[in-house]
Amino acid sequence: MSLTNFIVKPYTAISESENWLKTYGILATVNFAIVLVGYELFSALISPFTLPPHQTQFFTIPFRGVCLVLSLIVLFAKGIGKPRKIKWSPATALLAAYWIILIIRLIQDFYFSPGLQIESASRNKTLLFIFGVTLPQILSVIRSYKSINYNLLFKICLWMVIVAIGINLMLNPKIFDFSYIYRIGGGSALYPIKFGYLGLTLMLLSTWLLMSKQWNKPVAWLLIIVGFFIMLRSGSRGPLVATFVLFILIFAFRFKKIWVSILIILFAAVVLALFYKEILHIIKAISPAMFQRIFDPIIQTNRNDVYSNALQTILHNPFGKHFTEYFYIDSLGLYRVFYAHNAILDAGIVGGYLGMAAMAYLYFVTLKNFHKHIQTKSEYAWLMFLIMMKFMTCLFSFAFWQFPMISIGVVLSTLLPTPEKNSP
C-alpha cells in the first residue's frame, strides 16, 4: 500500500461511514414520521380522486408497500453496528409476552378452530396488516430510536399535519357545510374518527409550540383553533373525549405536587359538569353530526352490545379464548374479524383476567411516563402527547394490533430520557 492510500483510505472510510449514519438517521426519522401521521397525509393527497372507499385500495396498498420497504430498510440496514440492546423493563417484557400470546391466538383461530369459519378476505386483511404494517413499524422504530432526530421529527410531523388539514380545508366542501348532519372524513381513505384525531394531533403539536416557544403565539393559537374545528367537524365522539382528557392531564401534570394535579383534575371535572349545556350548545353550532351522535340511542346501544359481547366472552373464558372479537355473518355462516372498541376488553378476550390486568398495567406505566416527561419539561414531551392520544384512541375504538404506536409508546416512554435522568 502506498503512503497516500495509507493516509487517505482510513479518512475516506470514516467519511463514508459518517455519511451513511446521517442517511440512516434521516431514513429512521422519516419512517417514524410516517408511522405517526403518514397515512393521514397520504389520504389528503389522494382526496382529489373522488373514489368509492373500496377503490381507494388502488392507492393505499402501494403506499403501504412503500412504507413496508422503508421499515425493513431501517430494521435490517447494515453499517450501523450491532443492534442496540433494548432495556427490558417489566413493561417491555410484558408487551413482548402479550404479542406472543396474541399471535398464538391468531394462529389458533385462523387455522385450528374448525367451528370458527372466518371470512377469507377478513382473515387475509388482518394478517397483512399485522405482519405487513404493524410489526415492521414497531420493530423498525424501536431498533432505530437512538438514530432518530426528534427535533426534525417534530417539524416533519407538524408540516405533514398542516398540509393534510390544509388540503381538506380547500377541497372538502362538507367541512364548511353546517347543514350537513353526517360525519366527515378526510377524503375517501380517511375515516371520520381518524380525521377527528388528525385535528387533535394539530392541537397537541401546536400546544407544544406554545410550551416550547418555538413559534409566535398567534400562529400557534390559530393552529389550535383550526385543529379544534376539524376535530369537531369530523363528528366522532372519541376525539372529543380525548381532547378534554388530554388537555386536562397536560395542564395538571405540569405541577410537581401530585395533590395539586389531582385537585386540578377534579376542578376540571366539576367545571365540565356545571357547564355541560353550554359546551353542548357550542358543539351543536359547529358540528350537528357530533351533537346528534352524542344522544343517538341506536349508536349507544350498538356500542353497549359490543362491550357486552366482549364481557360475556371474558366471563365465560377467564383465561382467554380468541384472538379478538368476531362479527357473525348470518347469510354466509362466516365470521369477520372485529374488535371490542376497547384495548383492555380486547386483552381480556386474548388473555382473560390476566390479559386485562396486563393491558391496564401497560396503560398505567405509559401514563406515569407521560406525567414524568411533562413535569420535567422533557424535549420528548410532544411525542408523549401523541403517544397518549393513541392510547386514548384504543379505549374508544380500533384494536391494539391496528396501532403500532401503542407498542412503540410503551417502549419509548421508558427509554427516552427526561432531564432528571440526564442530570449528574
Side-chain angles (χ1 to χ4, degrees), residues 176-196:
F176 298 103
D177 182 1
F178 293 95
S179 63
Y180 191 75
I181 60 172
Y182 303 101
R183 292 195 297 171
I184 299 172
S188 302
L190 192 66
Y191 294 126
I193 188 169
K194 286 194 173 184
F195 190 48

Side-chain angles (χ1 to χ4, degrees), residues 22 44 83 100 135 146 163 166 233 283 304 388 398:
K22 290 178 181 178
I100 292 172
L135 284 176
K146 283 190 176 181
V163 171
R233 289 296 294 156
I283 292 173
N304 289 339
M388 281 310 303
F398 300 104

Side-chain angles (χ1 to χ4, degrees), residues 9 17 128 184 189 195 199 229 242 278 280 284 350 364:
K9 191 171 182 179
S17 177
L128 284 172
I184 299 172
F195 190 48
F229 176 74
E278 288 76 8
L280 289 175
K284 185 178 181 180
V350 173
F364 170 75

Side-chain angles (χ1 to χ4, degrees), residues 139-201:
L139 296 174
S140 63
V141 172
I142 294 174
R143 163 80 162 92
S144 62
Y145 84 98
K146 283 190 176 181
S147 299
I148 295 169
N149 183 331
Y150 290 92
N151 290 327
L152 178 61
L153 176 65
F154 172 80
K155 295 175 183 177
I156 292 175
C157 289
L158 178 61
W159 282 109
M160 288 172 74
V161 172
I162 290 174
V163 171
I165 288 179
I167 291 174
N168 276 281
L169 289 173
M170 291 187 292
L171 301 179
N172 194 341
K174 294 177 183 177
I175 293 177
F176 298 103
D177 182 1
F178 293 95
S179 63
Y180 191 75
I181 60 172
Y182 303 101
R183 292 195 297 171
I184 299 172
S188 302
L190 192 66
Y191 294 126
I193 188 169
K194 286 194 173 184
F195 190 48
Y197 279 112
L198 180 64
L200 178 53
T201 300

Side-chain angles (χ1 to χ4, degrees), residues 166-237:
I167 291 174
N168 276 281
L169 289 173
M170 291 187 292
L171 301 179
N172 194 341
K174 294 177 183 177
I175 293 177
F176 298 103
D177 182 1
F178 293 95
S179 63
Y180 191 75
I181 60 172
Y182 303 101
R183 292 195 297 171
I184 299 172
S188 302
L190 192 66
Y191 294 126
I193 188 169
K194 286 194 173 184
F195 190 48
Y197 279 112
L198 180 64
L200 178 53
T201 300
L202 181 60
M203 294 172 66
L204 293 171
L205 294 176
S206 302
T207 299
W208 178 248
L209 288 176
L210 288 175
M211 293 172 64
S212 60
K213 301 178 181 179
Q214 294 187 36
W215 284 12
N216 59 54
K217 290 184 178 181
V219 174
W221 277 112
L222 176 61
L223 292 176
I224 290 174
I225 293 171
V226 171
F228 184 71
F229 176 74
I230 291 295
M231 182 273 298
L232 286 181
R233 289 296 294 156
S234 72
S236 292
R237 297 168 298 170

Side-chain angles (χ1 to χ4, degrees), residues 117-147:
Q117 297 295 322
I118 300 173
E119 185 188 38
S120 59
S122 182
R123 180 182 65 243
N124 294 339
K125 183 178 179 180
T126 302
L127 290 171
L128 284 172
F129 203 91
I130 290 177
F131 295 103
V133 178
T134 304
L135 284 176
Q137 290 184 342
I138 291 170
L139 296 174
S140 63
V141 172
I142 294 174
R143 163 80 162 92
S144 62
Y145 84 98
K146 283 190 176 181
S147 299

Side-chain angles (χ1 to χ4, degrees), residues 335-351:
Y335 288 88
R336 284 182 183 166
V337 177
F338 199 51
Y339 44 84
H341 288 74
N342 181 282
I344 295 176
L345 290 179
D346 270 329
I349 294 172
V350 173

